[in-house]
């Protein structure tokens, strides 16, 4: 896949780049310059992709483990070799600051590397069956087999690594994959598809299709030959997709408004402020585990608040291609306008804007709010922008209740040195993961990852995803001697 000025880039289907069809423009979130044009696949193309995926399942299921591992290792090596190419693609179409884009490539490398390692760790289980009289000589074997074709639907904010989190486990499990990237970021996904095919993955077992939402929904809801749908995106779309997908397995990694608790026994508020600022404002807060709500024990509330204001003021906002930039543009002008409107709504309702919140085109400066109330969008919904709320609390139980007072439950952060409080928080917080000693934005890609409540269903993380994409099958042996 090569981006050619003036010539649309085709989608990938059965190892070929298809260039017939309607071309869609992809523009830079930073300056609206033309990144490139991509051919949009049709419903007929989607049906053909499913045909190929179904036809290829016997081949992918029979691929020996050494071959799956080898292909995944070759993808890993190619990503290392092409790191700068992928980073620049992410900057161009996602508007992610270049330093963060390089980190994303490094994370995708770890994702594929871990998937290669997990191929060797996928094991079965021997079950004794001679447990009652008359069953002498019987024994059982349980092994996991691929569920079948996987439809992977990915968002714009991590166009490489979130695609990797779906594609790499599917390859390790032996499942054919149809990857539908976000319309804002098709080129990164197409480049990844090219790398996977060059590594030796069966051509008919991979398609990368920029599809209209209506055709993607049709494939997820009506195409029964798709056996698993893995979706990362908004809670509204994800749960609607789940409701309409019938008997398919559906994995949902959805939104959040991650909460963080800072207790007065935490020894380094300067470090806490730095971590919070980067977790709230990095990539303009466009991450589902971006820290959005911070609850600080009143004894250190003012101290922490002003340290956070000072730290945020030092962050560089601007062109994502510049090495110094920390905070780039929102993905669309309309998203920046929405964030600006939500801040104004909160201020009009009595919240105090301590710093930031100015909009310059699609760029919103890091906003710090306090005195917010339940019912405000910035508090109840997922802002998905460079906004953080900082509120005081009197006792620890109150802070736990505030974090739980949300329809989301992805990850939470906790800064305290007290083991009792840590164990209480682990027991009481309604989240998929509790990060102690850091912000809720921390994630290592091999770990199980996902949420509760409206934040999702199932778990990502390579081993967890492989388990989701396989099913156990029992073999009973009798009468052999």
């Amino acid at each position: 896949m090569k981006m050619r000025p003036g010539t649309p880039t085709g989608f990938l289907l059965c190892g070929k780049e298809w260039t017939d069809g309607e071309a869609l423009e992809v523009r830079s979130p930073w300056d609206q310059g033309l990144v490139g044009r991509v051919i949009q696949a049709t419903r007929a193309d989607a049906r053909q992709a499913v045909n190929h995926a179904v036809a290829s399942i016997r081949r992918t299921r029979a691929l020996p483990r050494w071959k799956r591992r080898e292909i995944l290792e070759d993808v890993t090596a190619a990503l290392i070799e092409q790191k700068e190419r992928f980073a620049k693609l992410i900057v161009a179409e996602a508007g992610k600051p270049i330093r963060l884009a390089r980190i994303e490539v490094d994370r995708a490398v770890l994702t594929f590397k871990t998937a290669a390692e997990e191929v060797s760790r996928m094991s079965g289980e021997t079950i004794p069956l001679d447990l009652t009289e008359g069953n002498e000589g019987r024994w059982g074997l349980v092994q996991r087999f691929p569920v079948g074709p996987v439809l992977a639907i990915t968002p714009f904010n991590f166009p490489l690594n979130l695609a990797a989190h779906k594609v790499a486990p599917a390859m390790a499990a032996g499942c054919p994959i149809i990857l539908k990237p976000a319309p804002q970021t098709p080129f990164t996904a197409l480049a990844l598809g090219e790398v996977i095919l060059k590594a030796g993955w069966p051509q008919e077992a991979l398609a990368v299709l920029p599809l209209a939402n209506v055709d993607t929904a049709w494939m997820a809801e009506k195409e029964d030959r798709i056996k698993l749908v893995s979706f990362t995106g908004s809670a509204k779309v994800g749960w609607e997709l789940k409701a309409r997908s019938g008997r398919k397995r559906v994995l949902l990694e959805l939104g959040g408004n991650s909460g963080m608790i800072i207790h007065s026994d935490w020894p380094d508020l300067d470090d806490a402020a730095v971590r919070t600022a980067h977790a709230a404002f990095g990539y303009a807060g466009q991450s589902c585990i971006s820290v959005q709500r911070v609850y600080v024990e009143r004894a250190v509330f003012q101290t922490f608040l002003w340290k956070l204001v000072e730290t945020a003021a030092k962050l560089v906002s601007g062109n994502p291609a510049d090495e110094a930039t920390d905070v780039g543009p929102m993905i669309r002008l309309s998203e920046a306008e929405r964030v600006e409107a939500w801040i104004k709504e909160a201020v009009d309702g009595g919240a105090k804007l301590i710093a930031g919140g100015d909009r310059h085109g699609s760029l919103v400066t890091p906003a710090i709010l306090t005195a917010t109330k339940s019912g405000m969008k910035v508090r109840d919904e997922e802002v998905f922008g460079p906004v953080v709320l900082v509120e005081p609390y009197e006792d620890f139980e109150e802070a736990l209740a505030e974090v739980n007072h949300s329809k989301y439950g992805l990850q939470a952060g906790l800064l305290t040195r007290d083991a009792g409080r840590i164990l209480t928080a682990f027991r009481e917080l309604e989240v998929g993961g509790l990060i102690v000693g850091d912000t809720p934005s921390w994630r290592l890609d091999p770990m199980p990852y996902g949420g509760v409540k409206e934040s999702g269903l199932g778990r990502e993380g390579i081993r967890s995803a492989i388990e989701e994409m396989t099913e156990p099958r029992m073999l009973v042996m009798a009468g052999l001697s």
Side-chain angles (χ1 to χ4, degrees), residues 54-273:
V54 171
S56 70
I57 182 62
R58 293 185 67 183
R59 183 177 177 187
T60 57
R61 183 169 54 208
L63 273 177
R65 295 186 187 217
W66 70 263
K67 185 61 176 178
R68 292 185 219 171
R69 184 182 66 238
E70 181 182 82
I71 293 170
L72 288 162
E73 288 172 345
D74 286 350
V75 173
T76 303
L79 289 177
I80 293 171
E81 181 182 354
Q82 300 179 41
K83 177 177 178 176
E84 200 65 14
R85 173 201 179 198
F86 275 96
K88 289 179 178 179
L89 273 176
I90 294 168
V91 171
E93 59 182 355
K96 180 171 289 188
I98 183 64
R99 288 182 289 115
L100 298 180
R102 293 190 185 111
I103 291 172
E104 180 175 347
V105 181
D106 289 339
R107 290 181 60 186
V109 166
L110 178 59
T111 299
F112 275 98
K113 179 182 178 182
T114 304
E117 295 168 351
E118 287 295 340
V119 171
S120 303
R121 291 192 281 261
M122 293 167 59
S123 60
E125 182 182 8
T126 301
I127 309 292
L129 298 176
D130 56 345
L131 301 177
T132 58
E133 186 177 355
N135 286 317
E136 293 79 6
R138 292 181 185 266
W139 57 274
L141 176 66
V142 177
Q143 286 195 345
R144 302 192 74 89
F145 291 85
V147 295
V150 170
L151 172 60
I153 306 170
T154 56
F156 74 85
N157 57 335
F158 288 86
L160 178 61
N161 194 41
L162 290 184
H165 266 282
K166 301 181 187 305
V167 172
M171 294 168 65
C175 294
I177 315 114
I178 299 171
L179 174 60
K180 188 275 178 188
Q184 303 94 330
T185 53
F187 294 114
T188 303
L190 288 165
L192 176 61
E194 177 189 63
V195 165
I196 291 169
L197 292 177
K198 284 185 177 179
W201 185 251
Q203 293 183 349
E204 68 275 16
L206 174 69
V208 183
L209 303 181
L211 276 170
N213 290 339
V214 64
D215 293 324
T216 306
W218 167 82
M219 190 159 41
E221 298 167 11
K222 303 297 184 183
E223 183 49 88
D224 291 336
R225 294 176 297 170
I226 295 290
K227 298 303 180 184
L228 183 145
V229 179
S230 181
F231 173 86
T232 299
S234 73
K236 181 178 184 296
V237 173
W239 288 112
E240 287 178 356
L241 184 150
K242 171 69 171 63
R244 297 177 180 178
S245 293
R247 291 175 292 181
K248 295 183 184 71
R249 294 189 187 187
V250 178
L251 307 180
L252 300 176
E253 198 277 278
L254 307 176
N257 56 1
S258 295
M260 179 176 174
I261 298 171
I262 302 176
H263 205 66
S264 61
D265 64 348
W266 190 251
D268 193 344
L269 291 181
D270 289 302
D271 179 68

Side-chain angles (χ1 to χ4, degrees), residues 341-361:
W342 284 18
I343 293 170
K344 183 178 185 301
E345 176 196 68
V347 172
D348 290 346
K352 296 179 181 178
L353 180 61
I354 304 299
D358 300 317
R359 184 179 66 81
H360 308 280

Side-chain angles (χ1 to χ4, degrees), residues 309-387:
V309 170
E310 292 172 3
T311 303
K314 297 175 184 177
L315 298 178
V316 177
S317 300
N319 188 341
D322 291 344
E323 295 286 346
T325 297
D326 300 298
V327 184
M330 302 288 292
I331 190 67
R332 292 191 186 103
L333 175 61
S334 59
E335 288 299 300
E337 292 171 340
R338 174 188 59 79
V339 171
E340 180 185 41
W342 284 18
I343 293 170
K344 183 178 185 301
E345 176 196 68
V347 172
D348 290 346
K352 296 179 181 178
L353 180 61
I354 304 299
D358 300 317
R359 184 179 66 81
H360 308 280
S362 57
L363 192 73
V364 178
T365 59
I368 301 172
L369 290 158
T370 191
T372 60
K373 300 189 292 284
S374 180
M376 294 178 176
K377 289 188 179 72
V378 294
R379 185 156 172 160
D380 293 353
E381 303 296 332
E382 180 181 32
V383 175
F384 216 66
V387 177

Side-chain angles (χ1 to χ4, degrees), residues 1-4 7-10 17 85 187 194:
M1 190 281 298
K2 295 182 180 179
M3 293 168 57
R4 300 173 292 272
T7 303
T9 298
E17 181 182 340
R85 173 201 179 198
F187 294 114
E194 177 189 63

